[in-house]
Amino acid sequence: MAHRVVLVPGDGIGPEVATAARRVLDATGVELRWIERPAGATALERAGALLPEETLDAIRECRVALKGPITTPVGTGFRSVNVALRQELDLFAAVRPARSLPGVPTRHEGVDLVVIRENTEDLYQGIEFERGSDAAMALRARLRDLGGFELREDAGVTLKPISASGTHRIVRFAFEYARTNRRRKVTVGHKAPVMRFSDGLFLDTARADARDYPEIAWEEIQVDHLSARLVRRPEDFDVLLLPNLYGDILSDLCAGLVGGLGLIPGANIGWEYAVFEPVHGSAPDIAGRGIADPVAMILSGAMLMRHLGELDAAERVEAAVDAVLRAGSVRTGDVGGTSTTTDMADAIAAAVRSA
Ligand code: ATP
């Protein structure tokens, strides 16, 4: 039976890398029915909305999407289209694998870790009080009443809510992910001694839930210490489980450990829907020139295949990317070559077919 997959090409280099990924995924022989829908600046121009309802409806219907980068033009009333999409579809888990790729020179070898970041709470939930506003003044008075907390009069405030229910689902997700993908260890990053009621709750909840997965090792590290260990010995880590803010920062750090932005795939996943997308942005500086590296988008496509249960196809795509990078004769400018996006897609598609 054909899988129905929404393709959101997006902005900038998005359409170029989307075409490349589609070509490679079609080469696996898995029957995919692509349903193309717009989002981002391109959608605003063509359909009059940054995140058109027809795009959301298509994802709700098909449950999975492969998405290129989208930009949020300033002054459109949206903080971020990407954030809005995650909220609309309740994509509470961000999954970002960082794996050493052959032929891509980096400081470390043998890195193979996955960052799983909670996507909806924490300092990024968006509960903010502007310095000097009536709301900030009311909060200040209330805090004094509630617990004798003293806020400076000229303080702006961002709240850090972390709930037990929000934590349960990301912990469960991380362990189920580890189990399905034969991962051996989950490491939680936190700052519980300092933030007892937010990070502390996250840690306590995660620690208790971890007992349901005795076959997977459990490790707790304070996030500052974790950062130091990651840059020294990233090969020690497997799955990293992180609240929103630390997850955002450390997933970029991990991307940096294994190469450039053009190589790193990602996914935003909820219980119902999943959107797979490269980590990089729309790269306006190189858009329209046919030179973008399609690997991040292609590897996001491999993650999508795995999510659909097409494990063999996913492995063939990943092996084909490795083979082409290892051979080195076809590669884009960001990894030291002169090939085009299309050359790269053709080479990887050919490697998929011959696998
Ligand atoms: P946005 O605002 O959409 O996030 P940005 O310019 O802040 O865009 P990126 O688009 O990720 O961030 O680009 C950062 C740099 O990395 C740019 O110089 C860009 O050319 C380069 N880059 C990003 N993705 C790729 C890619 N797939 N291939 C080659 N270079 C890339």
Side-chain angles (χ1 to χ4, degrees), residues 13 71 261-262 280-286 292-293 334:
I13 60 171
T71 39
L261 272 176
H280 62 71
S282 59
D285 51 335
I286 56 165
D293 192 336
D334 57 317

Side-chain angles (χ1 to χ4, degrees), residues 11 13 17 69-72 82 260-263 278-287 291-297 332-335 341:
D11 298 317
I13 60 171
V17 295
I70 50 187
T71 39
T72 309
N82 287 311
L261 272 176
L263 303 169
V279 164
H280 62 71
S282 59
D285 51 335
I286 56 165
I291 57 168
D293 192 336
V295 164
M297 186 72 163
T332 45
D334 57 317
V335 277
T341 310

Side-chain angles (χ1 to χ4, degrees), residues 1-343:
M1 201 187 69
H3 299 285
R4 283 153 46 89
V5 178
V6 178
L7 183 66
V8 181
D11 298 317
I13 60 171
E16 298 161 56
V17 295
T19 304
R22 185 172 169 166
R23 184 169 306 174
V24 170
L25 297 183
D26 284 338
T28 61
V30 172
E31 223 187 306
L32 298 167
R33 265 186 54 205
W34 297 101
I35 294 156
E36 201 171 310
R37 292 287 180 271
T42 326
L44 186 63
E45 273 164 37
R46 294 201 197 135
L50 278 168
L51 186 54
E53 265 311 307
E54 54 156 344
T55 302
L56 285 169
D57 286 345
I59 301 175
R60 287 193 188 104
E61 208 182 307
C62 300
R63 293 176 176 267
V64 283
L66 181 62
K67 173 183 150 305
I70 50 187
T71 39
T72 309
V74 273
T76 49
F78 263 92
R79 204 160 49 126
S80 153
V81 182
N82 287 311
V83 172
L85 183 70
R86 281 171 215 158
Q87 285 173 346
E88 283 288 337
L89 301 175
D90 200 17
L91 306 175
F92 63 83
V95 178
R96 213 192 267 184
R99 176 173 70 91
S100 300
L101 291 165
V104 179
T106 51
R107 231 172 249 274
H108 300 279
E109 278 167 27
V111 179
D112 182 14
L113 49 82
V114 182
V115 176
I116 297 186
R117 158 189 169 196
E118 201 288 323
N119 232 352
T120 65
E121 297 194 307
D122 197 349
L123 284 162
Y124 289 1
Q125 189 166 323
I127 307 175
E128 300 210 275
F129 298 83
E130 188 179 0
R131 176 182 85 159
S133 64
D134 290 347
M137 290 305 142
L139 178 72
R140 188 164 168 261
R142 193 85 183 99
L143 287 175
R144 188 179 291 142
D145 290 349
L146 278 176
F149 299 112
E150 273 308 319
L151 272 188
R152 288 201 178 136
E153 202 174 352
D154 57 353
V157 179
T158 302
L159 290 191
K160 178 177 165 106
I162 290 190
S163 68
S165 50
T167 305
H168 274 308
R169 66 179 184 175
I170 193 69
V171 176
R172 243 179 77 206
F173 178 90
F175 277 97
E176 291 298 330
Y177 180 95
R179 195 175 254 176
T180 312
N181 293 281
R182 302 219 157 85
R183 298 269 170 180
R184 60 200 148 62
K185 182 170 78 168
V186 172
T187 303
V188 68
H190 66 91
K191 205 67 206 169
V194 183
M195 288 169 279
R196 289 178 296 143
F197 302 139
S198 50
D199 281 20
L201 177 64
F202 191 92
L203 178 62
D204 290 345
T205 307
R207 186 188 288 148
D209 287 351
R211 294 196 194 106
D212 294 337
Y213 301 85
E215 78 279 18
I216 298 164
W218 170 249
E219 187 178 36
E220 303 169 3
I221 310 187
Q222 291 197 41
V223 70
D224 41 356
H225 186 199
L226 175 60
S227 315
R229 283 194 43 200
L230 271 171
V231 295
R232 294 185 64 169
R233 292 185 52 88
E235 63 278 14
D236 286 352
F237 296 96
D238 196 351
V239 174
L240 299 181
L241 165 64
L242 298 160
N244 207 340
L245 172 72
Y246 310 143
D248 188 26
I249 297 168
L250 290 190
S251 53
D252 268 30
L253 184 150
C254 292
L257 291 171
V258 294
L261 272 176
L263 303 169
I264 316 293
N268 289 297
I269 303 183
W271 294 134
E272 300 217 40
Y273 313 111
V275 176
F276 297 82
E277 58 186 320
V279 164
H280 62 71
S282 59
D285 51 335
I286 56 165
R289 292 166 55 196
I291 57 168
D293 192 336
V295 164
M297 186 72 163
I298 291 168
L299 290 176
S300 303
M303 290 175 76
L304 181 149
M305 292 297 235
R306 190 166 280 118
H307 182 82
L308 292 174
E310 300 288 355
L311 305 188
D312 176 62
E315 273 163 27
R316 275 161 56 218
V317 170
E318 285 162 356
V321 167
D322 282 12
V324 170
L325 287 174
R326 188 179 297 114
S329 55
V330 183
R331 48 171 66 194
T332 45
D334 57 317
V335 277
T338 54
S339 306
T340 64
T341 310
T342 312
D343 294 336

